[in-house]
């Protein structure tokens, strides 16, 4: 599994490789922000331990204290944010179809993913960091249908439960 950003492009931190990636899912990307242009707008909202609130900048932490206990959330990025997207799609599939073997789960995920093509064979998602000696250039092998950046494509929850 790999992670893509809100523009369905490989994130700078994501793993990749031909024959390595089956599917991709949203993982958030600090460098590709949403329309609000805030640091959090390109990231994924996730639960976060209240005891670690001081470990992240305050603009990336939010709390919901409407109940008797406050819930703490943080805006994050990583394949650790993409994995819950895939897990959620699998949970929806099982709720729709009942018990499924691991092979059936993988087949359903890959057959219903939205295909993504390598926009360029050589790709650097954050060229602005080259000036600091950080080079995230990667080479995407293969093309539409299955490639080293996205596998067969981005998981698609609706397609996975209606096909």
């Amino acid at each position: 599994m790999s992670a893509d950003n809100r523009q369905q492009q490989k994130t700078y931190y994501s793993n990749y490789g031909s024959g390595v990636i089956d599917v991709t899912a949203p993982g958030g990307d600090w460098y590709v922000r949403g329309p609000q242009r805030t640091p959090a707008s390109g990231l994924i909202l996730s639960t976060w331990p209240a005891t670690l609130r001081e470990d992240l900048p305050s603009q990336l932490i939010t709390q919901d204290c409407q109940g008797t206990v406050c819930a703490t959330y943080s805006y994050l990025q990583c394949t650790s944010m993409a994995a819950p997207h895939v897990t959620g799609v699998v949970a929806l599939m099982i709720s729709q179809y009942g018990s499924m073997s691991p092979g059936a789960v993988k087949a359903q995920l890959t057959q219903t993913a939205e295909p993504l093509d390598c926009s360029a064979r050589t790709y650097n998602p954050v060229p602005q960091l080259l000036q600091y000696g950080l080079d995230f250039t990667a080479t995407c092998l293969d093309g539409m249908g299955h490639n080293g950046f996205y596998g067969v494509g981005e998981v698609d929850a609706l397609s996975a439960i209606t096909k």
Side-chain angles (χ1 to χ4, degrees):
M1 185 200 66
S2 66
D4 64 359
N5 60 34
R6 66 184 298 111
Q7 296 174 346
Q8 292 184 312
Q9 297 171 319
K10 179 191 160 314
T11 57
Y12 71 96
Y13 57 79
S14 185
N15 51 333
Y16 63 96
S18 188
V20 176
I21 304 301
D22 293 317
V23 293
T24 193
D29 193 331
W30 178 267
Y31 296 103
V32 180
R33 297 182 179 177
Q36 300 84 5
R37 307 299 305 156
T38 64
S41 67
L43 304 178
I44 305 293
L45 187 61
S46 181
T47 56
W48 187 256
T51 57
L52 298 178
R53 285 186 64 215
E54 293 77 29
D55 290 2
L56 291 172
S58 61
Q59 72 265 29
L60 299 180
I61 297 284
T62 187
Q63 283 193 308
D64 177 1
C65 296
Q66 294 179 14
T68 56
V69 178
C70 289
T72 304
Y73 303 92
S74 179
Y75 291 92
L76 302 167
Q77 68 177 17
C78 206
T79 51
S80 298
M81 298 296 99
H85 279 90
V86 176
T87 304
V89 172
V90 171
L92 290 170
M93 288 167 29
I94 292 170
S95 72
Q96 178 75 8
Y97 303 116
S99 181
M100 300 173 74
S101 71
V105 167
K106 182 176 179 179
Q108 187 75 357
L109 282 174
T110 57
Q111 291 169 7
T112 60
E114 178 186 344
L116 297 176
D117 196 12
C118 301
S119 56
R121 293 288 173 224
T122 302
Y123 171 64
N124 186 345
V126 282
Q128 65 268 35
L129 296 182
L130 286 171
Q131 64 183 328
Y132 304 109
L134 298 171
D135 186 358
F136 293 98
T137 301
T139 300
C140 185
L141 301 176
D142 308 316
M144 185 69 94
H146 198 280
N147 60 62
F149 280 5
Y150 312 111
V152 296
E154 186 177 73
V155 294
D156 184 328
L158 182 59
S159 291
I161 63 168
T162 58
K163 183 175 180 187

